DNA sequence: GAGTGGTCTAGACCACGAG
DNA sequence: TCGTGGTCTAGACCACTCA
């Protein structure tokens, strides 16, 4: 029912995975070269590389062309709650601001006419030295553009649309992840009491370094409305 | 910046992808055999297979051993909102009920002592003939066990923990997805007004067939609490 | 049995990184 | 330049499906 014939690459991947989780291969350490590992396991190099590809997809190793294969330093799995990352000591955020005009998918998202002046905030979050996640936040310029989005207090309602997908090649290189590691993609639209869109945020978080948390309160004094 | 050297397999995958999205290769159709395609594109069979692996990871094709490669019938991308799937005409759900006792991870999740009698509802959702998603819902037996979870109205608060991961081999075979296609994993814990856990739901949804929607209301009559 | 995909081999040649 | 990983070849052999 599970896997009746453990293939060579799975056997090798299992062995290396055990060494990583046991600490025999420590975080940041470089694995032996691929031809060397292939000789050790008595397989061809493509087979050895297939085994490494499995570990890469799990986020356990990082391949660096010309240098070697390295055990990934595990990032703490942070929690996104209420649209914000859990505060963390060695978390730092870089923000780049750009002015642009509404086009394409931004128009229905922000419910503005084409060409409306917008401000884009590009958030790059790092945990220590390593990239953690990235976000693009769009704000109409007529809504206190000088103010950073996270500081505005006029938000009455937020709508988070969550999906998982493979990273774009830009995201894969910026976040230094394999193109086979899924990212959680969150589109968050915040509106004020009048229903006007105050900001739209597009987040991309590698699936191995964050979980999302949503809390819903139900009106229980009006029984039966759930069914 | 993007991919400066389009590899052969990417070129082939792009071509096949275009044929699928253009409708030249229709949903459910069988592709030419791998040796045939390899000859058509003038590449070796491993290279051709690497190209197909890309499309498989995207959920565009389904490989069936001994039969061929088939264009996947795209499932409508449904929305999970408020812990429920969007109602759909050809959506049907199979429920299997099992009684068991609290163990392992269920104990902290449900906040019950080890060995507490529980009822497990295994939900299998199909869209037409194809499996869509699966869920395991756990309810303490002292809480109206005869009633199906979705009918209870005593829920005051729900907490959804969302992450993306590769499917277990059981999920991959049950849901008929490639082991490389990520699933959205949702752990939903519902409590009543006294804080007692009413039910815990563990959902697994292939990332290509659902998106999640969460709405948060903020108290705006108390300004400044956001900052 | 015929045809299909699944796995693996034993190389070759190219591209990247560091000295 | 040298060692590394990245891509690709041209096969071989096994396992599964269906007639």
């Amino acid at each position: 029912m599970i896997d009746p014939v453990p293939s060579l690459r799975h056997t090798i991947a299992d062995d290396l995975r055990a060494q990583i989780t046991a600490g025999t291969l420590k975080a940041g350490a470089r694995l032996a070269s691929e031809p060397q590992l292939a000789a050790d396991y008595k397989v061809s190099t493509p087979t050895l590389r297939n085994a490494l590809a499995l570990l890469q997809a799990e986020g356990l190793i990082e391949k660096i062309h010309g240098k070697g294969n390295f055990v990934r330093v595990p990032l703490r799995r942070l929690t996104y709650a209420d649209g914000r990352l859990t505060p963390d000591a060695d978390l730092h955020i870089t923000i780049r601001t750009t002015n642009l005009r509404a086009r394409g998918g931004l128009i229905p998202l922000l419910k503005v006419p084409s060409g409306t002046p917008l401000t884009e905030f590009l958030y790059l979050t790092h945990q220590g030295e390593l990239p953690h996640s990235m976000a693009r936040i769009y704000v109409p310029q007529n809504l206190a553009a000088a103010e950073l989005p996270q500081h505005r207090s006029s938000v009455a309602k937020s709508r988070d649309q969550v999906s998982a997908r493979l990273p774009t090649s830009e995201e894969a290189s910026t976040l230094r992840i394999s193109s086979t590691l899924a990212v959680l993609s969150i589109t968050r639209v915040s509106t004020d009491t009048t229903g006007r869109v105050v900001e739209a945020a597009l987040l991309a978080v590698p699936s191995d370094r964050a979980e999302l948390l949503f809390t819903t309160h139900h009106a229980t004094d009006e029984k039966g409305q759930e069914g």
Side-chain angles (χ1 to χ4, degrees), chain A residues 43-224:
Chain A
V43 296
S44 66
T45 47
T47 298
L48 188 277
R49 283 174 55 75
N50 282 335
L52 295 184
L54 295 175
L55 299 176
Q56 190 192 16
E58 297 168 23
L60 281 176
I61 66 168
E62 180 175 9
K63 300 182 130 284
I64 304 183
H65 193 168
K67 293 185 71 177
N69 297 292
F70 297 84
V71 179
R72 277 243 331 241
V73 177
L75 294 183
R76 268 184 306 289
R77 209 175 163 89
L78 298 181
T79 300
Y80 267 106
D82 239 358
R84 290 174 189 75
L85 260 184
T86 308
D88 190 287
D90 55 336
L91 204 65
H92 65 274
I93 300 175
T94 313
I95 304 177
R96 201 187 62 195
T97 306
T98 314
N99 289 321
L100 71 162
R101 287 176 176 276
R103 57 171 182 77
L106 291 176
I107 295 167
L109 205 60
L110 289 159
K111 291 192 213 157
V112 294
S114 177
T116 303
L118 305 176
T119 301
E120 177 195 84
F121 300 92
L122 175 62
Y123 281 60
L124 275 178
T125 306
H126 287 250
Q127 194 177 6
E129 289 298 305
L130 291 169
H132 180 276
S133 56
M134 57 192 292
R136 293 173 193 279
I137 300 186
Y138 296 90
V139 181
Q141 278 181 26
N142 60 354
L143 299 174
E147 200 182 6
L148 285 178
Q150 61 193 177
H151 293 139
R152 54 184 68 249
S153 56
S154 57
V155 174
K157 200 168 95 172
S158 298
R159 182 182 169 281
D160 286 273
Q161 186 180 316
V162 178
S163 61
R165 55 171 173 78
L166 295 178
T168 66
S169 42
E170 186 203 359
E171 288 168 343
S173 58
T174 302
L175 297 170
R176 295 214 334 197
I177 56 173
S178 139
S179 60
T180 61
L181 178 68
V183 295
L184 281 164
S185 169
I186 304 129
T187 302
R188 182 181 177 89
V189 176
S190 303
T191 47
D192 64 12
T193 49
T194 68
R196 187 175 56 174
V197 175
V198 176
E199 69 172 66
L202 309 176
L203 287 76
V205 194
S207 54
D208 65 340
R209 51 190 85 166
E211 63 188 16
L212 314 180
L213 202 61
F214 297 95
T215 306
T216 312
H217 294 269
H218 303 269
T220 42
D221 45 6
E222 303 170 68
K223 273 192 179 178

